[in-house]
Amino acid sequence: MKPLLLTNALIINEDRRHHADLLIVNGRIEKIAATISPQQTWSVLDLNGKWLLPGMIDDQVHFREPGLMHKGTLASESRAAVMGGITSYMEMPNVSPPTTTRQALQDKFQRASECSLANYSFYFGATNDNLEELKALATGAACGVKVFMGASTGNMLVDDERTLEAIFQYAPGLVATHCEDTPTIKHNEALWRTRYGVQIPAEEHAAIRSVEACLLSSSRAVALAKKHGTRLHVLHITTADELALFEPAPTLADLRRKTITAEACIHHLYFNKDDYATLGHRLKCNPSVKGAEHQQALWQAVRAGVIDIIATDHAPHLLAEKQSDYFAAPSGLPLVQHALPALLDLCARDIFTPELIVRKTSHAVAERFQIKDRGYIREGYWADLAAINPWKRASIDGSNIAYKCGWSPFEGHSLLGGVVENTFVNGRLVWDGESVMQGVYGSALEFNR
C-alpha cells in the first residue's frame, strides 16, 4: 500500500471538531496534523472540508450466511455496509446451522476472511443444551455470547432456568441478550388471532410484542447479571419502561465503569408506530417498533447516556416474504446502508449531534467490546474512516439499494444530514461514493481481553 494522505478534513472525533490532514501508512493512521506536506510517492485525496468520522462499528447484524443466503450473504451485506460508512460488524448466530459450536464459529470466520469488505467478528449462540461448549470458548474467540431470552430461530430460545443461570455465571466475556418474554407474546398472539385471524393489522405488532414482554425479560437479564457479576449488554431497547433498569453514563469514562449497558437501534429511533400505516410488515421487527412516546424516551436516553450504543440489527428478508399475512411475514429489516445517513438526518433535526452519534456508533462500541485499535481517529489506530458530505441529501430509491433483498424501509426518503462519499477499511478506500472496490478488505476484529 502506498501511503495515503487525506487533506482538508473536518475531523469529528472524541467530542470535538477540528480541521486537519491525516496520513495513512500500512493501513494505520500515521499522523494527524493541521498540515502535512505530501511526498511524491504518496497518494493524496482532498476531502474539501468534508466530515471525517471513525467508521461505524455495528455490534448487531444478521448477514444470513450460512443457510439463509437467498436473503443476504457476508459479501453482499458487507458491501452494503461499507457504502453506508460501516467499517466493522458483529454478526449474530441464528443462521443455519446456528453458530452454537466452536466449529461453526470458526467456519464463519473462515467464510468472512474470503469475502468481507468490512472488519468482522461473530457471536457464539447460547442454547439450552450447549453449556459445555460455551464453557470451552476462549475469551477472545467471539465478540460475545448471544442469548435469545425470547422467541427465535430453531433451538436458540434459552428458557431453561438453570441453563440461564449457568450462562450468566460462566460465559466468557460479554453476554448480549435479546429480551422479550415468550409466554407474554404467545398469550397476546392468541388474543389477537381470536380478533383478526391471520389478517392482523401490521400496527398491532407493537401491542403483541408488548412493553410488558420487553420489561419482564430485560428485568430478568439485569437481575441475573447483578447476581453473577456478568458483563451484560442488552440489545435493542424499545420502551421507556425499560430505561429505569440502566444507569446513565454521560461520558466514556463513565461507560468504562459500567458492567451493564444498553443499546438502541436505528429503526426504533427513526420510526414509530405511526409508520406501520405506510410500511406495513416491512416495519415488522422483534422487538417491535412502538409508539412515539417510547421513541422520544429513547432519544432522551441516548442523550443522557442511559443508552450506550446505537446499532442496526440489520436483518434482511425478501419483500415477497414481508407481503405475507401477520404470522407468516418474518421480522427484521435491512438497515446497514442507510444507518449513518438516517442518524445524521436526526442530527439535522436537532435530535442528536454528530459528536454524539460518533460516540454511540464508534467510541462506545470499541470500549464496551474491548476492541483493539479501532473506534477512534488516533495515531497508531487502524484507519477505519467514513467521509461525509454534509451538504448533500441521501435520496433513497430502488436504483441505489445494495442489499441482496433489494428493498429498504427508507425508500422514498431524502435524508438531510449528509451522504457517505468515502469509506476506508484498514486504510484502503473501499467506497468512493459511486462504486465499491473489488477485493477482500476486512480483517477479524481483535480484542483487549
Side-chain angles (χ1 to χ4, degrees):
M1 292 175 59
K2 292 173 64 176
L4 172 61
L5 178 63
L6 305 181
T7 62
N8 299 314
L10 178 62
I11 295 175
I12 303 179
N13 182 62
E14 301 191 63
D15 294 326
R16 63 184 289 254
R17 302 183 184 197
H18 62 106
H19 293 276
D21 294 350
L22 184 147
L23 176 63
I24 300 168
V25 177
N26 294 325
R28 291 182 181 261
I29 300 169
E30 177 78 10
K31 186 178 181 181
I32 304 168
T35 303
I36 301 174
S37 298
Q39 298 183 13
Q40 288 187 344
T41 55
W42 297 355
S43 298
V44 179
L45 177 61
D46 189 346
L47 294 182
N48 292 307
K50 286 184 285 191
W51 296 353
L52 189 64
L53 318 180
M56 180 172 174
I57 305 172
D58 193 345
D59 79 357
Q60 187 183 184
V61 302
H62 301 262
F63 281 178
R64 305 304 192 194
E65 184 176 348
L68 303 167
M69 295 167 67
H70 61 291
K71 300 175 189 279
T73 66
L74 293 171
S76 69
E77 307 311 283
S78 68
R79 181 177 184 272
V82 298
M83 292 171 67
I86 293 172
T87 54
S88 300
Y89 62 86
M90 304 180 201
E91 208 263 351
M92 287 297 172
N94 53 332
V95 287
S96 183
T99 317
T100 54
T101 67
R102 286 170 290 162
Q103 182 57 52
L105 183 65
Q106 291 174 11
D107 174 67
K108 289 179 81 170
F109 275 101
Q110 180 60 39
R111 287 170 178 267
S113 73
E114 296 170 359
C115 68
S116 184
L117 282 96
N119 304 309
Y120 49 86
S121 192
F122 299 95
Y123 287 89
F124 181 88
T127 71
N128 282 327
D129 54 15
N130 73 341
L131 183 60
E132 294 307 313
E133 189 78 0
L134 181 148
K135 288 181 179 180
L137 186 70
T139 302
C143 54
V145 172
K146 175 65 180 291
V147 183
F148 286 92
M149 296 175 65
S152 184
T153 302
N155 184 40
M156 295 204 67
L157 169 62
V158 181
D159 56 2
D160 182 271
E161 292 286 346
R162 289 176 297 179
T163 301
L164 267 179
E165 288 272 356
I167 291 168
F168 276 75
Q169 184 175 359
Y170 294 111
L174 180 144
V175 171
T177 54
H178 176 134
C179 290
E180 291 182 287
D181 182 67
T182 301
T184 300
I185 294 166
K186 294 299 183 185
H187 174 74
N188 290 341
E189 286 178 342
L191 288 177
W192 265 259
R193 187 188 287 270
T194 299
R195 298 174 190 173
Y196 295 102
V198 297
Q199 299 301 326
I200 296 173
E203 63 267 20
E204 297 299 327
H205 191 59
I208 293 170
R209 293 270 175 166
S210 64
V211 171
E212 293 77 15
C214 294
L215 181 60
L216 276 170
S217 188
S218 295
S219 299
R220 189 179 183 197
V222 169
L224 283 169
K226 289 180 176 179
K227 178 179 178 180
H228 295 289
T230 312
R231 294 183 64 243
L232 172 66
H233 185 54
V234 183
L235 302 166
H236 42 46
I237 295 294
T238 61
T239 76
D241 304 57
E242 293 169 280
L243 297 172
L245 297 170
F246 306 100
E247 297 294 327
T251 69
L252 288 169
D254 297 322
L255 171 65
R256 295 182 194 108
R257 290 190 287 268
K258 291 177 75 169
T259 57
I260 299 173
T261 50
E263 169 201 285
C265 287
I266 306 295
H267 45 308
H268 299 118
L269 296 170
Y270 196 89
F271 299 107
N272 64 47
K273 186 180 176 181
D274 294 342
D275 294 296
Y276 288 107
T278 53
L279 289 171
H281 294 321
R282 285 176 292 170
L283 193 56
K284 185 184 179 188
C285 57
N286 300 336
S288 61
V289 172
K290 298 179 175 66
E293 71 277 16
H294 295 288
Q295 177 191 35
Q296 291 165 19
L298 292 177
W299 292 347
Q300 177 55 32
V302 170
R303 293 190 291 258
V306 175
I307 294 293
D308 302 286
I309 286 170
I310 299 174
T312 68
D313 196 15
H314 172 86
H317 296 286
L318 301 185
L319 194 55
E321 297 172 317
K322 282 288 195 176
Q323 292 168 341
S324 302
D325 65 59
Y326 176 80
F327 288 101
S331 292
L333 47 159
L335 291 157
V336 289
Q337 185 182 353
H338 308 110
L340 268 180
L343 289 172
L344 292 172
D345 181 88
L346 295 177
C347 293
R349 290 192 260 154
D350 294 325
I351 295 167
F352 304 130
T353 66
E355 289 82 356
L356 182 61
I357 294 305
V358 166
R359 191 193 316 164
K360 301 295 182 180
T361 60
S362 298
H363 305 337
V365 193
E367 295 288 351
R368 186 62 178 133
F369 286 82
Q370 300 170 290
I371 301 171
K372 184 178 180 181
D373 294 348
R374 300 188 193 274
Y376 292 89
I377 299 178
R378 289 176 176 171
E379 292 179 356
Y381 273 52
W382 289 105
D384 296 335
L385 306 165
I388 308 293
N389 186 332
W391 308 289
K392 278 189 178 181
R393 288 173 176 256
S395 297
I396 299 155
D397 58 48
S399 68
N400 55 23
I401 292 170
Y403 310 126
K404 189 170 185 179
C405 68
W407 65 277
S408 165
F410 292 106
E411 283 180 73
H413 286 253
S414 182
L415 303 175
L416 299 175
V419 172
V420 180
E421 289 201 341
N422 305 102
T423 304
F424 305 86
V425 176
N426 296 315
R428 294 182 181 270
L429 178 65
V430 299
W431 165 246
D432 65 3
E434 295 183 357
S435 59
V436 177
M437 308 305 156
Q438 298 297 314
V440 179
Y441 298 97
S443 300
L445 296 174
E446 296 180 315
F447 303 96
N448 292 313
R449 297 176 179 170

